[in-house]
Amino acid sequence: MHLTDGLNASLPGVLYHRVMLTNRFIHCLTLSALLALMCAAPASACPFPPAAVRDLHLARFYTDNAGSKTDPALLDQHKDETAPVRDYLKMVVSEADASFLQETESLGTYRAKCAVEWLEVWAHGGALLGTLDTKQAAAERRWTLAGAALAYLKVKPSATPDQAAIIEAWLKTLAQTAEAEFAQSKSKHNNHWYWLGLGLGATAMAANDGAMWQTARTVMQDAAKDISTNGTLPLELARQSRALHYHAFALMPLTALAELARSRGEDWYAFNDGALHRLVDVTVQGLLTPEVFKALSGFEQEHPVDRQYGWLPLYRLERPEALPETELEMPSGHFWLGGNVLLLNHALTKPKS
């Protein structure tokens, strides 16, 4: 019996055919043909996706009620426990981004199909739809949902109809499960609510779900109401020494949501008299001069401040004149934002073929 003989068509379609094709190559290719094939293969071949992670248990790593102090040992444990999910998502977004940067269209399609295949395998396995019995695990699911759905928006044109059906059904189930869990937990409508909104919004666009899009719109309206006249978020100011950190963290899903809406011809920046602009302004002031947030929160801010990634390049798409590029810089992407946000914008705004 050969290694692949026990596999059958219950595997996701693309993965099944890859395994079968590999088995035929072992039997049929001459050495010279195999070497020629290897020379013609992409420099970075698509590896087999890991098995889907269904269950997740993550302990809280903060040691105070305000969520401003972390236990280093628990934080290291958290990194180990989340590694399988985060490494998977990083691979998906890496392949999705790489699909835009290849020298030829065929290589770009190859990388896009790799990202699709990885999404298909986890969709087929019902990833993150098992037991998530802590708030930290539920938060990880929300972040992963947002990143996966945004990455899928980049590569959706490369999915077959069967792949699209299973991936979009998984994303919708993941979004609905995350929404129901959030409502049941009666969690605060802080940055976690905004990340849920981004996951819902990205999934709505990926699966063409109008009702889910309206829910995402409601989340954005709530967030705009949360932003005070001075641009701060009261629930994030309450994070004491991490107040500035969490203002930047909240901007990641909010700017992404606003840009998703802009790609559909909707202006969510205008909610509550341009509240999102106020939030950006005060956060940028704080990142340039942390004493601003010491005065606002009453606490010395942790140093160095984690600026978070992706939100400022996104915001510059809306107001390129507002912030000179030399004033404040940050990377253009994050795996919870589906990778490079400028490539996402390109995918959303390019003419449909």
Side-chain angles (χ1 to χ4, degrees):
M1 177 178 289
H2 297 285
L3 180 62
T4 57
D5 288 348
L7 296 174
N8 55 54
S10 64
L11 285 169
V14 173
L15 182 57
Y16 170 73
H17 290 299
R18 268 176 61 186
V19 172
M20 293 298 103
L21 190 58
T22 300
N23 197 35
R24 292 193 198 104
F25 283 173
I26 293 171
H27 286 290
C28 301
L29 285 180
T30 65
L31 178 59
S32 59
L34 181 59
L35 289 173
L37 176 72
M38 291 171 66
C39 291
S44 178
C46 182
F48 283 102
V53 175
R54 284 187 53 83
D55 306 321
L56 202 58
H57 174 84
L58 304 174
R60 189 174 189 268
F61 51 82
Y62 288 110
T63 59
D64 62 333
N65 291 332
S68 63
K69 299 180 177 63
T70 59
D71 181 311
L74 288 176
L75 188 57
D76 287 341
Q77 178 183 332
H78 174 80
K79 291 177 181 177
D80 291 339
E81 291 170 340
T82 57
V85 175
R86 296 186 180 189
D87 288 348
Y88 162 83
L89 183 58
K90 289 174 183 178
M91 176 64 180
V92 171
V93 303
S94 175
E95 291 299 296
D97 284 350
S99 71
F100 290 85
L101 305 174
Q102 301 305 301
E103 294 180 357
T104 66
E105 183 178 352
S106 60
L107 285 176
T109 300
Y110 177 86
R111 302 301 288 268
K113 286 185 176 296
C114 181
V116 169
E117 183 178 324
W118 275 56
L119 288 166
E120 180 192 9
V121 167
W122 271 41
H124 191 271
L128 300 182
L129 292 174
T131 301
L132 281 72
D133 56 0
T134 65
K135 287 186 176 181
Q136 197 65 44
E140 197 72 26
R141 173 164 56 194
R142 289 190 291 271
W143 299 326
T144 304
L145 166 65
L150 290 169
Y152 177 63
L153 283 172
K154 293 178 179 177
V155 298
K156 180 177 177 177
S158 294
T160 66
D162 286 345
Q163 288 176 316
I166 191 171
I167 292 169
E168 290 166 25
W170 171 59
L171 291 173
K172 287 182 66 172
T173 302
L174 207 56
Q176 291 160 353
T177 303
E179 183 183 5
E181 180 280 328
F182 193 94
Q184 185 177 8
S185 69
K186 298 180 180 179
S187 297
K188 296 176 181 178
H189 281 202
N190 59 1
N191 68 83
H192 291 290
W193 178 234
Y194 313 152
W195 278 103
L196 174 62
L198 178 57
L200 293 171
T203 300
M205 288 187 65
N208 194 28
D209 188 312
M212 191 173 289
W213 179 254
Q214 289 306 313
T215 303
R217 191 176 194 274
T218 298
V219 173
M220 189 68 180
Q221 289 173 322
D222 285 349
K225 292 176 183 176
D226 293 339
I227 299 169
S228 62
T229 55
N230 70 358
T232 59
L233 290 161
L235 291 178
E236 309 307 337
L237 275 183
R239 302 301 289 267
Q240 298 181 0
S241 63
R242 304 200 87 197
L244 177 53
H245 167 95
Y246 277 103
H247 276 70
F249 190 58
L251 274 170
M252 291 174 70
L254 294 179
T255 53
L257 259 178
E259 284 302 310
L260 289 182
R262 192 163 74 104
S263 75
R264 294 166 60 104
E266 301 178 32
D267 184 6
W268 291 7
Y269 288 99
F271 291 164
N272 190 19
D273 296 323
L276 187 53
H277 297 307
R278 298 196 299 272
L279 176 59
V280 170
D281 289 344
V282 75
T283 304
V284 168
Q285 290 174 27
L287 291 172
L288 294 173
T289 310
E291 288 75 14
V292 168
F293 266 75
K294 179 181 179 182
L296 289 167
S297 69
F299 291 86
E300 191 83 35
Q301 296 301 290
E302 67 176 10
H303 184 78
V305 176
D306 189 346
R307 298 175 174 184
Q308 305 303 317
Y309 301 158
W311 60 266
L312 187 56
L314 269 179
Y315 185 71
R316 283 195 176 119
L317 296 174
E318 165 67 10
R319 293 176 69 187
E321 78 291 344
L323 297 166
E325 292 192 8
T326 55
E327 190 174 12
L328 182 65
E329 288 306 309
M330 66 178 58
S332 295
H334 191 280
F335 55 98
W336 289 336
L337 293 180
N340 188 303
V341 295
L342 301 181
L343 294 177
L344 173 64
N345 178 69
H346 174 72
L348 293 175
T349 57
K350 69 179 181 180
K352 300 296 187 292
S353 58

